[in-house]
Amino acid sequence: MMQLCDSYSQKYSLLNAMNRFIGAVNNMDQTVMVPSLLRDVPLLLEELDAAGAVCPQREAPLPTASPGAYFSRRDMYSHYMLLKSIRNDIEWGVVQPPPPAADEAARKKDKLGGGPAEEGEAEEDLEQQFHYHLSGLHTVLSKLTRKANVLTNRYKQEIGFGSWGQ
């Protein structure tokens, strides 16, 4: 019974979400032999919403007013490159430039102005921020994993191998 509880909680761990995403992108990278074939092929939002099942209305016009319409107008090649870039950032890290002098001065001022009462509030705030961002990161990784799987399946369909590798 303990292993069942452990596996259930591990299903929602950030490490497992990252591993699922990296695995999906690696699978996509191994499947897509000619990435240039992805140029000018739209990846529709309906396909992403179908969680991997290819939508029969592939040539439907894209919505213009929806907030996610920008991403739906990008072709599969740009999604492919984005997913690979994010995978590399996860695996190798992101180099951040040093903070500007104004940010550094503001941080010093915050450190000097914080008393013992403010310190407890700041720690609680940090914990809330951590949980908020952890939850958001898990959600984003799940969506990106689904996008990599959809792109892989769509590529197989485009090159004529609908049941290839299944």
Short mmCIF file of all heavy atoms in Angstrom, two decimals, residues 69-116:
data_model
loop_
_atom_site.label_atom_id
_atom_site.label_comp_id
_atom_site.label_asym_id
_atom_site.label_seq_id
_atom_site.Cartn_x
_atom_site.Cartn_y
_atom_site.Cartn_z
N ALA A 69 -4.17 32.88 -29.57
CA ALA A 69 -4.14 32.84 -31.02
C ALA A 69 -2.73 33.05 -31.56
O ALA A 69 -2.38 32.51 -32.59
CB ALA A 69 -5.08 33.90 -31.60
N TYR A 70 -1.90 33.82 -30.86
CA TYR A 70 -0.54 34.05 -31.32
C TYR A 70 0.20 32.73 -31.47
O TYR A 70 0.85 32.46 -32.46
CB TYR A 70 0.21 34.96 -30.35
CG TYR A 70 1.69 35.02 -30.63
CD1 TYR A 70 2.18 35.74 -31.71
CD2 TYR A 70 2.59 34.31 -29.85
CE1 TYR A 70 3.52 35.78 -31.99
CE2 TYR A 70 3.94 34.36 -30.11
CZ TYR A 70 4.40 35.09 -31.18
OH TYR A 70 5.73 35.11 -31.45
N PHE A 71 0.07 31.86 -30.46
CA PHE A 71 0.78 30.60 -30.48
C PHE A 71 0.22 29.68 -31.54
O PHE A 71 0.93 28.86 -32.09
CB PHE A 71 0.72 29.93 -29.10
CG PHE A 71 1.45 30.74 -28.07
CD1 PHE A 71 0.77 31.46 -27.12
CD2 PHE A 71 2.83 30.80 -28.08
CE1 PHE A 71 1.44 32.22 -26.19
CE2 PHE A 71 3.51 31.56 -27.14
CZ PHE A 71 2.82 32.28 -26.20
N SER A 72 -1.07 29.79 -31.85
CA SER A 72 -1.65 28.91 -32.84
C SER A 72 -1.22 29.30 -34.25
O SER A 72 -1.32 28.51 -35.16
CB SER A 72 -3.17 28.91 -32.73
OG SER A 72 -3.66 30.19 -33.06
N ARG A 73 -0.74 30.53 -34.44
CA ARG A 73 -0.32 30.97 -35.77
C ARG A 73 1.11 30.55 -36.08
O ARG A 73 1.56 30.69 -37.21
CB ARG A 73 -0.45 32.49 -35.88
CG ARG A 73 -1.88 32.93 -35.92
CD ARG A 73 -1.96 34.39 -36.32
NE ARG A 73 -3.34 34.79 -36.28
CZ ARG A 73 -3.87 35.63 -35.43
NH1 ARG A 73 -3.10 36.18 -34.51
NH2 ARG A 73 -5.12 35.94 -35.46
N ARG A 74 1.81 30.07 -35.10
CA ARG A 74 3.19 29.64 -35.33
C ARG A 74 3.16 28.28 -36.01
O ARG A 74 2.30 27.46 -35.74
CB ARG A 74 3.92 29.56 -34.00
CG ARG A 74 4.03 30.91 -33.33
CD ARG A 74 4.54 30.82 -31.95
NE ARG A 74 5.92 30.35 -31.94
CZ ARG A 74 6.64 30.22 -30.84
NH1 ARG A 74 6.11 30.51 -29.69
NH2 ARG A 74 7.87 29.79 -30.90
N ASP A 75 4.11 28.05 -36.87
CA ASP A 75 4.15 26.76 -37.55
C ASP A 75 4.79 25.70 -36.67
O ASP A 75 5.33 25.99 -35.60
CB ASP A 75 4.85 26.87 -38.90
CG ASP A 75 6.31 27.27 -38.80
OD1 ASP A 75 6.80 27.50 -37.69
OD2 ASP A 75 6.96 27.35 -39.86
N MET A 76 4.71 24.45 -37.12
CA MET A 76 5.24 23.34 -36.32
C MET A 76 6.74 23.47 -36.12
O MET A 76 7.26 23.05 -35.09
CB MET A 76 4.88 22.01 -36.98
CG MET A 76 3.42 21.65 -36.80
SD MET A 76 2.91 20.10 -37.59
CE MET A 76 4.09 18.92 -37.03
N TYR A 77 7.45 24.04 -37.08
CA TYR A 77 8.89 24.19 -36.96
C TYR A 77 9.24 25.10 -35.79
O TYR A 77 10.15 24.80 -35.01
CB TYR A 77 9.49 24.74 -38.26
CG TYR A 77 10.99 24.87 -38.20
CD1 TYR A 77 11.80 23.75 -38.36
CD2 TYR A 77 11.60 26.10 -37.97
CE1 TYR A 77 13.18 23.85 -38.30
CE2 TYR A 77 12.97 26.21 -37.91
CZ TYR A 77 13.76 25.09 -38.08
OH TYR A 77 15.12 25.20 -38.00
N SER A 78 8.53 26.20 -35.63
CA SER A 78 8.83 27.11 -34.51
C SER A 78 8.49 26.45 -33.17
O SER A 78 9.21 26.65 -32.19
CB SER A 78 8.10 28.44 -34.67
OG SER A 78 6.72 28.26 -34.69
N HIS A 79 7.42 25.64 -33.13
CA HIS A 79 7.12 24.88 -31.90
C HIS A 79 8.23 23.87 -31.63
O HIS A 79 8.64 23.69 -30.48
CB HIS A 79 5.78 24.14 -32.04
CG HIS A 79 4.59 25.03 -31.91
ND1 HIS A 79 4.12 25.49 -30.71
CD2 HIS A 79 3.78 25.56 -32.85
CE1 HIS A 79 3.07 26.25 -30.91
NE2 HIS A 79 2.84 26.31 -32.20
N TYR A 80 8.69 23.20 -32.67
CA TYR A 80 9.77 22.21 -32.56
C TYR A 80 11.02 22.87 -31.96
O TYR A 80 11.61 22.34 -31.01
CB TYR A 80 10.05 21.63 -33.95
CG TYR A 80 11.23 20.72 -34.06
CD1 TYR A 80 11.14 19.38 -33.68
CD2 TYR A 80 12.44 21.18 -34.57
CE1 TYR A 80 12.22 18.53 -33.80
CE2 TYR A 80 13.52 20.33 -34.69
CZ TYR A 80 13.41 19.01 -34.30
OH TYR A 80 14.49 18.17 -34.43
N MET A 81 11.40 24.01 -32.51
CA MET A 81 12.60 24.70 -32.02
C MET A 81 12.40 25.22 -30.59
O MET A 81 13.33 25.15 -29.78
CB MET A 81 12.97 25.86 -32.97
CG MET A 81 13.37 25.40 -34.36
SD MET A 81 14.71 24.17 -34.37
CE MET A 81 16.05 25.13 -33.73
N LEU A 82 11.20 25.70 -30.28
CA LEU A 82 10.91 26.17 -28.93
C LEU A 82 11.02 25.03 -27.92
O LEU A 82 11.66 25.19 -26.86
CB LEU A 82 9.51 26.78 -28.87
CG LEU A 82 9.00 27.17 -27.49
CD1 LEU A 82 9.76 28.40 -26.99
CD2 LEU A 82 7.52 27.43 -27.52
N LEU A 83 10.44 23.89 -28.23
CA LEU A 83 10.49 22.74 -27.31
C LEU A 83 11.92 22.27 -27.10
O LEU A 83 12.32 21.96 -25.97
CB LEU A 83 9.60 21.61 -27.85
CG LEU A 83 8.10 21.91 -27.82
CD1 LEU A 83 7.34 20.90 -28.68
CD2 LEU A 83 7.58 21.92 -26.41
N LYS A 84 12.71 22.23 -28.16
CA LYS A 84 14.11 21.82 -28.02
C LYS A 84 14.90 22.83 -27.19
O LYS A 84 15.74 22.46 -26.37
CB LYS A 84 14.76 21.66 -29.40
CG LYS A 84 14.31 20.41 -30.11
CD LYS A 84 15.01 20.22 -31.43
CE LYS A 84 16.49 20.14 -31.25
NZ LYS A 84 17.24 19.72 -32.42
N SER A 85 14.61 24.11 -27.37
CA SER A 85 15.29 25.15 -26.60
C SER A 85 14.96 25.04 -25.12
O SER A 85 15.85 25.16 -24.26
CB SER A 85 14.88 26.52 -27.14
OG SER A 85 15.38 27.54 -26.33
N ILE A 86 13.69 24.81 -24.81
CA ILE A 86 13.29 24.67 -23.40
C ILE A 86 13.93 23.43 -22.80
O ILE A 86 14.39 23.46 -21.65
CB ILE A 86 11.75 24.63 -23.29
CG1 ILE A 86 11.17 26.00 -23.66
CG2 ILE A 86 11.32 24.22 -21.88
CD1 ILE A 86 9.67 26.02 -23.79
N ARG A 87 13.98 22.33 -23.56
CA ARG A 87 14.65 21.13 -23.05
C ARG A 87 16.11 21.42 -22.73
O ARG A 87 16.61 21.04 -21.67
CB ARG A 87 14.56 20.00 -24.08
CG ARG A 87 15.29 18.73 -23.59
CD ARG A 87 15.59 17.74 -24.67
NE ARG A 87 16.43 18.34 -25.70
CZ ARG A 87 16.64 17.77 -26.87
NH1 ARG A 87 16.08 16.61 -27.17
NH2 ARG A 87 17.40 18.35 -27.76
N ASN A 88 16.79 22.13 -23.61
CA ASN A 88 18.20 22.47 -23.36
C ASN A 88 18.34 23.36 -22.13
O ASN A 88 19.28 23.19 -21.35
CB ASN A 88 18.82 23.14 -24.58
CG ASN A 88 19.06 22.17 -25.70
OD1 ASN A 88 19.11 20.95 -25.49
ND2 ASN A 88 19.18 22.68 -26.91
N ASP A 89 17.42 24.29 -21.94
CA ASP A 89 17.46 25.15 -20.75
C ASP A 89 17.28 24.33 -19.48
O ASP A 89 17.93 24.60 -18.47
CB ASP A 89 16.39 26.23 -20.83
CG ASP A 89 16.71 27.30 -21.86
OD1 ASP A 89 17.87 27.35 -22.34
OD2 ASP A 89 15.80 28.08 -22.20
N ILE A 90 16.40 23.34 -19.51
CA ILE A 90 16.18 22.50 -18.33
C ILE A 90 17.41 21.64 -18.06
O ILE A 90 17.84 21.52 -16.92
CB ILE A 90 14.92 21.63 -18.51
CG1 ILE A 90 13.66 22.49 -18.44
CG2 ILE A 90 14.86 20.52 -17.45
CD1 ILE A 90 12.39 21.74 -18.78
N GLU A 91 17.96 21.06 -19.11
CA GLU A 91 19.10 20.16 -18.93
C GLU A 91 20.40 20.88 -18.58
O GLU A 91 21.18 20.40 -17.76
CB GLU A 91 19.32 19.33 -20.20
CG GLU A 91 18.25 18.30 -20.44
CD GLU A 91 18.47 17.49 -21.71
OE1 GLU A 91 19.13 17.98 -22.65
OE2 GLU A 91 17.98 16.35 -21.75
N TRP A 92 20.64 22.05 -19.18
CA TRP A 92 21.93 22.71 -19.03
C TRP A 92 21.87 23.98 -18.20
O TRP A 92 22.91 24.55 -17.87
CB TRP A 92 22.53 23.02 -20.40
CG TRP A 92 22.75 21.78 -21.18
CD1 TRP A 92 21.98 21.31 -22.20
CD2 TRP A 92 23.78 20.81 -20.99
NE1 TRP A 92 22.46 20.12 -22.66
CE2 TRP A 92 23.57 19.78 -21.94
CE3 TRP A 92 24.85 20.70 -20.12
CZ2 TRP A 92 24.40 18.68 -22.02
CZ3 TRP A 92 25.67 19.60 -20.21
CH2 TRP A 92 25.45 18.60 -21.15
N GLY A 93 20.68 24.46 -17.89
CA GLY A 93 20.53 25.67 -17.10
C GLY A 93 20.46 26.90 -17.99
O GLY A 93 20.73 26.84 -19.19
N VAL A 94 20.10 28.00 -17.39
CA VAL A 94 19.96 29.26 -18.10
C VAL A 94 20.97 30.24 -17.52
O VAL A 94 21.02 30.43 -16.31
CB VAL A 94 18.53 29.83 -17.95
CG1 VAL A 94 18.39 31.16 -18.68
CG2 VAL A 94 17.51 28.83 -18.43
N VAL A 95 21.77 30.83 -18.37
CA VAL A 95 22.74 31.81 -17.92
C VAL A 95 22.01 33.14 -17.78
O VAL A 95 21.40 33.63 -18.73
CB VAL A 95 23.90 31.94 -18.93
CG1 VAL A 95 24.89 33.02 -18.48
CG2 VAL A 95 24.60 30.61 -19.09
N GLN A 96 22.07 33.70 -16.56
CA GLN A 96 21.41 34.96 -16.31
C GLN A 96 22.44 36.07 -16.23
O GLN A 96 23.48 35.91 -15.59
CB GLN A 96 20.62 34.91 -15.00
CG GLN A 96 19.50 33.90 -15.04
CD GLN A 96 18.74 33.86 -13.71
OE1 GLN A 96 19.18 34.42 -12.73
NE2 GLN A 96 17.62 33.20 -13.71
N PRO A 97 22.13 37.20 -16.89
CA PRO A 97 23.08 38.33 -16.79
C PRO A 97 23.08 38.90 -15.38
O PRO A 97 22.10 38.74 -14.64
CB PRO A 97 22.50 39.34 -17.80
CG PRO A 97 21.06 38.99 -17.92
CD PRO A 97 20.97 37.50 -17.67
N PRO A 98 24.16 39.55 -14.98
CA PRO A 98 24.20 40.15 -13.63
C PRO A 98 23.12 41.22 -13.51
O PRO A 98 22.78 41.87 -14.50
CB PRO A 98 25.60 40.74 -13.53
CG PRO A 98 26.11 40.82 -14.91
CD PRO A 98 25.36 39.81 -15.73
N PRO A 99 22.57 41.40 -12.29
CA PRO A 99 21.50 42.39 -12.12
C PRO A 99 22.02 43.81 -12.32
O PRO A 99 23.17 44.10 -11.98
CB PRO A 99 21.04 42.18 -10.69
CG PRO A 99 22.17 41.51 -10.00
CD PRO A 99 22.91 40.73 -11.05
N PRO A 100 21.18 44.67 -12.88
CA PRO A 100 21.59 46.08 -13.02
C PRO A 100 21.83 46.72 -11.65
O PRO A 100 21.31 46.25 -10.63
CB PRO A 100 20.40 46.74 -13.72
CG PRO A 100 19.57 45.63 -14.25
CD PRO A 100 19.89 44.41 -13.46
N ALA A 101 22.56 47.79 -11.62
CA ALA A 101 22.91 48.45 -10.36
C ALA A 101 21.67 48.93 -9.60
O ALA A 101 21.63 48.88 -8.38
CB ALA A 101 23.85 49.63 -10.63
N ALA A 102 20.63 49.37 -10.30
CA ALA A 102 19.41 49.85 -9.64
C ALA A 102 18.73 48.71 -8.88
O ALA A 102 18.25 48.91 -7.76
CB ALA A 102 18.47 50.45 -10.66
N ASP A 103 18.66 47.53 -9.47
CA ASP A 103 18.06 46.38 -8.79
C ASP A 103 18.86 46.00 -7.56
O ASP A 103 18.30 45.65 -6.53
CB ASP A 103 17.95 45.18 -9.73
CG ASP A 103 16.89 45.37 -10.80
OD1 ASP A 103 16.04 46.27 -10.64
OD2 ASP A 103 16.92 44.60 -11.78
N GLU A 104 20.17 46.05 -7.68
CA GLU A 104 21.03 45.68 -6.56
C GLU A 104 20.86 46.67 -5.41
O GLU A 104 20.78 46.29 -4.24
CB GLU A 104 22.49 45.65 -7.03
CG GLU A 104 23.40 44.93 -6.08
CD GLU A 104 24.78 44.73 -6.68
OE1 GLU A 104 24.88 44.34 -7.86
OE2 GLU A 104 25.76 44.96 -5.95
N ALA A 105 20.75 47.95 -5.72
CA ALA A 105 20.55 48.97 -4.68
C ALA A 105 19.20 48.78 -4.00
O ALA A 105 19.09 48.92 -2.78
CB ALA A 105 20.64 50.37 -5.30
N ALA A 106 18.16 48.43 -4.76
CA ALA A 106 16.83 48.20 -4.18
C ALA A 106 16.86 46.98 -3.25
O ALA A 106 16.22 47.00 -2.20
CB ALA A 106 15.80 48.01 -5.29
N ARG A 107 17.59 45.94 -3.63
CA ARG A 107 17.69 44.76 -2.77
C ARG A 107 18.39 45.08 -1.46
O ARG A 107 18.00 44.62 -0.39
CB ARG A 107 18.44 43.64 -3.50
CG ARG A 107 17.54 42.85 -4.40
CD ARG A 107 18.21 41.57 -4.84
NE ARG A 107 17.87 41.40 -6.24
CZ ARG A 107 18.71 41.19 -7.21
NH1 ARG A 107 19.98 41.06 -6.96
NH2 ARG A 107 18.30 41.07 -8.44
N LYS A 108 19.46 45.88 -1.52
CA LYS A 108 20.17 46.26 -0.30
C LYS A 108 19.26 47.07 0.61
O LYS A 108 19.26 46.90 1.82
CB LYS A 108 21.43 47.07 -0.64
CG LYS A 108 22.56 46.22 -1.18
CD LYS A 108 23.78 47.06 -1.47
CE LYS A 108 24.88 46.21 -2.08
NZ LYS A 108 26.05 47.02 -2.43
N LYS A 109 18.46 47.96 0.02
CA LYS A 109 17.55 48.78 0.80
C LYS A 109 16.50 47.90 1.48
O LYS A 109 16.18 48.10 2.64
CB LYS A 109 16.87 49.81 -0.12
CG LYS A 109 15.97 50.77 0.61
CD LYS A 109 15.38 51.77 -0.36
CE LYS A 109 14.44 52.72 0.37
NZ LYS A 109 13.82 53.68 -0.55
N ASP A 110 15.98 46.89 0.77
CA ASP A 110 15.01 45.97 1.36
C ASP A 110 15.62 45.19 2.51
O ASP A 110 14.97 44.96 3.53
CB ASP A 110 14.47 45.00 0.30
CG ASP A 110 13.51 45.67 -0.66
OD1 ASP A 110 13.01 46.76 -0.35
OD2 ASP A 110 13.27 45.09 -1.74
N LYS A 111 16.86 44.78 2.35
CA LYS A 111 17.53 44.02 3.41
C LYS A 111 17.73 44.86 4.66
O LYS A 111 17.54 44.39 5.78
CB LYS A 111 18.89 43.50 2.92
CG LYS A 111 18.80 42.31 2.01
CD LYS A 111 20.18 41.82 1.64
CE LYS A 111 20.11 40.67 0.66
NZ LYS A 111 21.45 40.23 0.26
N LEU A 112 18.11 46.11 4.49
CA LEU A 112 18.37 46.98 5.63
C LEU A 112 17.08 47.39 6.32
O LEU A 112 17.06 47.56 7.53
CB LEU A 112 19.12 48.24 5.17
CG LEU A 112 20.53 48.01 4.64
CD1 LEU A 112 21.12 49.32 4.12
CD2 LEU A 112 21.42 47.43 5.74
N GLY A 113 15.97 47.52 5.60
CA GLY A 113 14.72 47.99 6.18
C GLY A 113 13.91 46.90 6.86
O GLY A 113 12.99 47.19 7.60
N GLY A 114 14.22 45.65 6.65
CA GLY A 114 13.41 44.56 7.18
C GLY A 114 13.73 44.26 8.63
O GLY A 114 14.85 43.96 8.98
N GLY A 115 12.70 44.35 9.52
CA GLY A 115 12.88 44.02 10.92
C GLY A 115 12.43 42.61 11.19
O GLY A 115 12.06 41.88 10.28
N PRO A 116 12.44 42.17 12.46
CA PRO A 116 12.05 40.79 12.79
C PRO A 116 10.61 40.47 12.41
O PRO A 116 10.31 39.37 12.00
CB PRO A 116 12.25 40.70 14.30
CG PRO A 116 12.96 41.93 14.72
CD PRO A 116 12.90 42.91 13.61
#
